[in-house]
Structure formats: structure tokens, C-alpha cells
Amino acid sequence: EVQLVESGGGLVQPGGSLRLSCAASGFTFSSYWMGWVRQAPGKGLEWVAIMKQDASEKYYVDSVKGRFTISRDNAKNSLYLQINSLRAEDTAVYYCARLVTGRAFYDAFDIWGQGTMVTVSS
Amino acid sequence: SYVLTQPPSVSVAPGKTARITCGGNNIGSKSVHWYQQKPGQAPVLVIYYDSDRPSGIPERFSGSNSGNTATLTISRVEAGDEADYYCQVWDSSSDQGVFGGGTKLTVL
């Protein structure tokens, strides 16, 4: 079964850091672009970041540039999101997702995890 | 950055056709993807590259894209189609993805 499982969320104070993880199974992880999408409570989806199979290309939404870092370990079938300098507006469910064809950064996200909640509050 | 505009809500009776629009400047030149999200669940891809349907998505779901508007069409609407729907594109001018604000589909 194709599956993505996120972990690492939690309650963190403003200015703090977290590292989110996403474990992939059921497909050849190293063949796909992967990314993160977030959703603030009661709000819509927000595209966050994606990266290429070999990590040679990474793209971020403007609001997280310089604070968030996407990375991957193909040997461990894992995707990561290091989030620093957290703000209240970063409070959201963070979803890990696979890009559908594995060929292009403009692909759709076809497989999604169940999400991990990040709450930024003092 | 590129803006996608969706109506906040669309209502339709069971068995009828629902059309959810996604507006953007010359969106017809971009590839549009559509997602369905039910409460408490992760999004599900229902249409990609304007009109392609992933395996397992009913033929009742279709998409089109031209000019300044992309449209998700759901034929013979069922109660189980009630959900939030989001469109998404790649903005090549800023090198980032963009989601529309979402449309809540209510089945009357």
C-alpha cells in the first residue's frame, strides 16, 4: 500500500524550531518529487515547499523562505521539513505529499499523508 | 504572486450537475489540478492537468480550462460529494505553487 506518515509536530513557542518527518512506503521514493502543504485551522490549503528526487531543485512559498528547509533521505525513504523562527501564523496541519508523475515540479500532489499538527503559542 | 479565485460556496441538488470555477489571469495557459477534502481528512486529487482523472475517481468528475477560468464539473452529484474543493497551479513567475481559497460544495 502506498503510504505517507508524518511525525514531529507539537506545541512550540514563538521563535522555536521543529523538524517534521515523513516516512514513505509502498512506492519507489527516490523516483518522485515530494513536498509539503499546510492548512491553518479552519482555513484553506497552502502550498509550502517541494524538492526534486536528487535534491538539486527546491522551491518554497515566499512566506517561509529563509525559515523552512526541505530535505530528504532516499536511503531511508524519508522527507523532512526543518522549520525555524516559528510564528503564530505557522500554526497548521502540515501534510507531506507526493507529486504524481515524478517528472515535473508543476505536477499535482497525488498521495497525501494524514498530517501532523504544529501549534505555535506561548 | 498569482491569485486563484474560487467561489466560497456552491449548492446543488442530488442528481444535478455542480460546476466549481477557479479564476486566474490567463489560467488557460497553466495546468490546473483539483482536490477534494472532506472534514478531518487529507485532500484527495480528483483532476490533474486540467482534465485527467486519477484511477479510482469516478467519471462523474471532469475538468476544463480556458481563458481566465478553469472549471471542475461534477455530474449526477451524490451526497458523498459534499466537501471542500481546491484548485491549484504552478506560478512560473514566482516559482511556487498556489492554491485557490477553496469552495464548499453543499448537496441539498
Side-chain angles (χ1 to χ4, degrees):
Chain A
E1 179 191 5
V2 175
Q3 194 172 12
L4 297 170
V5 178
E6 302 94 335
S7 60
L11 175 63
V12 62
Q13 292 187 340
S17 299
L18 276 178
R19 189 194 195 204
L20 307 183
S21 299
C22 171
S25 59
F27 65 98
T28 305
F29 179 76
S30 60
S31 296
Y32 289 86
W33 283 75
M34 296 292 299
W36 293 92
V37 175
R38 68 183 179 181
Q39 186 170 35
K43 302 297 184 182
L45 301 174
E46 182 179 26
W47 187 98
V48 174
I50 59 171
M51 71 181 301
K52 195 175 181 180
Q53 292 90 327
D54 62 359
S56 61
E57 294 181 48
K58 301 178 184 181
Y59 300 95
Y60 298 91
V61 68
D62 287 344
S63 59
V64 309
K65 286 178 182 176
R67 299 189 301 121
F68 289 16
T69 302
I70 188 172
S71 62
R72 64 194 294 163
D73 185 335
N74 288 337
K76 295 183 177 180
N77 293 332
S78 293
L79 181 73
Y80 306 101
L81 187 67
Q82 178 69 41
I83 47 180
N84 299 329
S85 304
L86 278 159
R87 308 166 180 168
E89 55 265 35
D90 295 319
T91 294
V93 174
Y94 284 74
Y95 294 101
C96 166
R98 185 185 82 170
L99 277 72
V100 62
T101 70
R103 295 195 297 269
F105 48 79
Y106 46 83
D107 265 351
F109 296 107
D110 69 329
I111 304 297
W112 296 66
Q114 84 289 349
T116 186
M117 183 71 202
V118 172
T119 303
V120 183
S121 175
S122 55
Chain B
S1 60
Y2 194 77
V3 175
L4 294 173
T5 301
Q6 296 184 238
S9 62
V10 168
S11 298
V12 62
K16 299 299 185 181
T17 298
R19 293 178 179 85
I20 298 172
T21 59
C22 176
N25 184 33
N26 198 25
I27 195 174
S29 67
K30 301 180 181 298
S31 295
V32 180
H33 314 305
W34 290 93
Y35 304 86
Q36 174 195 70
Q37 187 181 33
K38 296 181 180 180
Q41 298 183 18
V44 172
L45 179 66
V46 294
I47 293 289
Y48 63 112
Y49 287 114
D50 297 341
S51 59
D52 289 343
R53 216 174 28 253
S55 60
I57 300 301
E59 292 183 5
R60 300 185 297 105
F61 288 80
S62 62
S64 62
N65 184 20
S66 179
N68 293 319
T69 304
T71 303
L72 172 69
T73 301
I74 309 171
S75 304
R76 302 180 300 283
V77 167
E78 303 173 357
D81 298 330
E82 191 163 278
D84 295 325
Y85 291 84
Y86 296 89
C87 57
Q88 183 233 321
V89 302
W90 178 263
D91 177 18
S92 56
S93 65
S94 63
D95 275 346
Q96 55 193 271
V98 180
F99 282 98
T103 298
K104 180 175 179 59
L105 178 67
T106 299
V107 181
L108 301 170

